[in-house]
Amino acid sequence: MIHITLPDGSQREYPGPVTVAEVAASIGTGLAKAALAGKVGAGEDAKVVDTSFVIDKDMPLSIVTAKDADGLDVIRHSTAHLLAYAVKDLFPDAQVTIGPVIENGFYYDFSYKRPFTPEDLVAIEKRMAELAAKDEPVVRRVLPRDEAVAYFKGIGENYKAEIIASIPSNEDVSLYREGSFEDLCRGPHVPSTGKLKFFKLMKVAGAYWRGDHRNEMLQRVYGTAWASKDDLQQYLHMLEEAEKRDHRKLGRELDLFHIDEHSPGTVFWHPKGWSLWQEVEQYMRRVYRDNGYQEVKGPQILDKTLWEKTGHWDKYRENMFTTESEKRDYALKPMNCPGHILIFKQGIKSYRDLPLRYGEFGQCHRNEPTGGLHGIMRVRGFTQDDGHVFCTEDQIQPEVLAFTTLLQKVYADFGFSDIIYKVATRPEARIGSDESWDKAEAALINSLEASGCEYVISPGDGAFYGPKIEYTLKDAIGRQWQCGTIQVDFSMPERLDAEYVGEDGDRHRPVMLHRAIVGSLERFIGILIEQHAGAMPTWLAPVQAAVLNITDAQADYVREVAQKLQKAFPNQGLRVATDLRNEKITYKIREHSLQKLPYILVAGDKEKAAGAVAVRARGNKDLGVMSVDAFIELVAKDIAAKA
């Protein structure tokens, strides 16, 4: 007898080997129709299998449907094969290569004699729908490696044959067939093409075979697939919104920054963009000051030997910019942490000095590949709100708890309230004792629980030197951005010989906590631009108000109003622009509205005589005529609220 344990703990008994599909059918007709795959085993040993998978011994089983994350992966993987099926059907001379699942979809690379056109994509997608409607079964078979190589060579699929030839000769490979198309794949796949209903092809791009520029340029067709029509429509709507919010587009339109070919991967900040930058940096500087951090500044260039001691030279050498002077090798720093340890080591530190918190707006450089650069989100030169806490093991938990609380406040001020918390635990290859890892992981988890945060565990995803918490925020259209982190490090203080004198009079190694809230300021500002679609809250807006005259008769009054507004905020002054151009007032209002200013103030003869202004808020809201003092009170509340 075979005993199957279901997710609810109940067991089902079968007289002999049974397939996943048969188990689903025995539970109910509805589940049998919804079944896309099965998940057998438990914990780290669990794996997703086809519904045709035969269970021949006692084991746990859950039926995977479109409602499950695993089910969505199976749908996307199978839709990639459906794409290849349609391409081969329409373009028999095309050769198929690889087609993996990616975030929100899939792609497939093809070798073909000409570029695919937008019209081709429409035709391919239509053919995919027709093939899916045929509801052809997806059937798996296994061949010895050499037999599979011969098979694909025989049907002219040389790329597939090359892939299989790289597999050890003593291994078998699995193939999946649907209709007239058969492909190499580990699986699993949906039981039939009729399960694939909600998909769309997005674009075509170039990609070198095996990622090597010396090889043929292939055509990569991207697509997306979802479990329901609503999910697909929501995703396409999100893409439309993302396009409207693209920080590169808004950066040009709002005159914030530009990227120049003379310095790829670095940012040229324009006056308004630099104003936005300064607001973010000065806010974070106050966060440092108010939470016990001492701001420091380390050099840009450090000797190669330091990076060798820390291990960065071996691991990140190809991503580091290097230089040479007087026969010594140096590197532009890709991170700030070694410099902070060198500062910590100056002078004798006592346990009474701990926790010691250093913060730095440290400019770093990483030699990112050109193809990976993306506006100000992915650059080669960037500044981090970098901080490092030197503490004892007993101080890890309270420090992390305080950091999480602080991070939540910062994100809320910038307009983000939805945060995802992930604890990455010890990998197999690691340093430090199990006792230290136990203590560090428990401290991270307990700190999140004390903060009332729901979290997920990511087993084995910690760094070799210690576990970490990753803080991911969700933006206004549901996208996720991993920004904040706090990492426990046992390694670098050891490698660079950092010590403090303990209460017992002996020398001890401090624990080093690497922490960042916004991470790269460039990237975070890009996220802010997209979060607010360029319409920054008043406290962040590069220009907070523009004062406009109707005729030349109000020019001097407009200047007086602007000066009064600036002086009313003595710390930094309200960021005010004046527009005295000889243009129609409707034209000027429209132009400043397109710049997404929080407030537009208009002064005509009546307003001048009354010492007032007509106030328009963003979104074409007419707030009416009010005194300048009343407007100052209004905008002061707006800034303080960070709304």
Side-chain angles (χ1 to χ4, degrees), residues 545-547 554-570 572-578 580 601 613 628-629 631-632:
V547 191
Q554 301 94 39
D556 288 341
Y557 177 66
V558 164
R559 294 188 188 96
E560 291 174 12
V561 170
Q563 289 178 357
K564 184 173 183 178
L565 293 176
Q566 290 167 341
K567 291 178 180 178
F569 295 84
Q572 56 190 33
L574 198 69
R575 295 185 289 279
V576 182
T578 58
L580 303 175
L601 313 181
V613 285
V628 176
D629 288 339
F631 174 73
I632 289 171

Side-chain angles (χ1 to χ4, degrees), residues 279-295 357-361 385-387 402-403 405-414 515-518 539 642:
E279 282 303 307
V280 175
E281 180 178 328
Q282 295 308 321
Y283 171 91
M284 293 307 301
R285 180 163 278 117
R286 291 192 295 272
V287 167
Y288 280 169
R289 181 195 65 206
D290 296 342
N291 290 275
Y293 287 82
Q294 301 177 55
E295 189 173 342
R357 307 180 189 97
Y358 289 148
E360 178 178 2
F361 297 99
D385 75 312
D386 217 353
F403 174 74
T405 302
L406 177 60
L407 175 139
Q408 292 167 337
K409 168 68 166 60
V410 171
Y411 283 178
D413 283 349
F414 282 114
R515 47 109 290 172
I517 297 179
V518 305
W539 75 282
K642 292 184 169 59

Side-chain angles (χ1 to χ4, degrees), residues 169-183:
S169 59
N170 61 341
E171 290 189 14
D172 294 338
V173 296
S174 58
L175 280 60
Y176 284 81
R177 175 179 290 277
E178 48 202 271
S180 61
F181 177 70
E182 192 166 28
D183 202 359

